């Protein structure tokens, strides 16, 4: 299945929370594989994001936790960052969770929708 980096970025927290649910062993295995792939993609994404910040002349704070984007480069950064978020990547097939007896909040389910199938 193909998804954008933005979809992965937005679903990371939900996928982590989902991976901590009580699931069947088969579903748990599929979720672990998906999370491993997601983490690898996000690592590459973050490397490219930092490279972009450095390329446009951003400065890193003294404590090393935050970049400051020059005012005259913000539009350029936003455009290039949007292009990065739009990159599509291949992910494992959707996980069928129809047979699972789990409780999922609506916001978690919405974030997971690109990665799971559920029949009600």
């Amino acid at each position: 299945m193909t998804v954008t980096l933005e979809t992965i970025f937005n679903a990371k927290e939900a996928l982590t929370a989902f991976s901590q649910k009580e699931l069947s062993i088969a579903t748990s295995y599929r979720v672990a594989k998906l999370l491993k792939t997601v983490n690898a993609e996000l690592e590459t994404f973050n490397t490219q994001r930092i490279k972009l910040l450095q390329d446009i002349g951003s400065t890193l704070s003294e404590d090393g936790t935050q970049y400051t984007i020059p005012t005259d480069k913000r539009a350029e950064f936003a455009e290039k960052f949007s292009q990065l978020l739009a990159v599509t990547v291949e992910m494992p097939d959707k996980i069928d969770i129809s047979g699972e007896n789990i409780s999922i909040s609506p916001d978690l389910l919405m974030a997971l929708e690109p990665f799971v199938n559920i029949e009600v």
Side-chain angles (χ1 to χ4, degrees), residues 46-62 64-81:
N46 281 325
T47 299
Q48 292 304 308
R49 181 181 56 85
I50 291 168
K51 183 180 182 311
L52 173 59
L53 286 164
Q54 292 169 341
D55 287 350
I56 65 164
S58 296
T59 54
L60 187 58
S61 62
E62 285 186 25
T65 61
Q66 189 172 6
Y67 280 91
T68 302
I69 301 169
T71 305
D72 63 330
K73 297 287 186 168
R74 289 183 181 162
E76 177 185 353
F77 174 79
E79 180 182 335
K80 289 182 178 181
F81 188 66

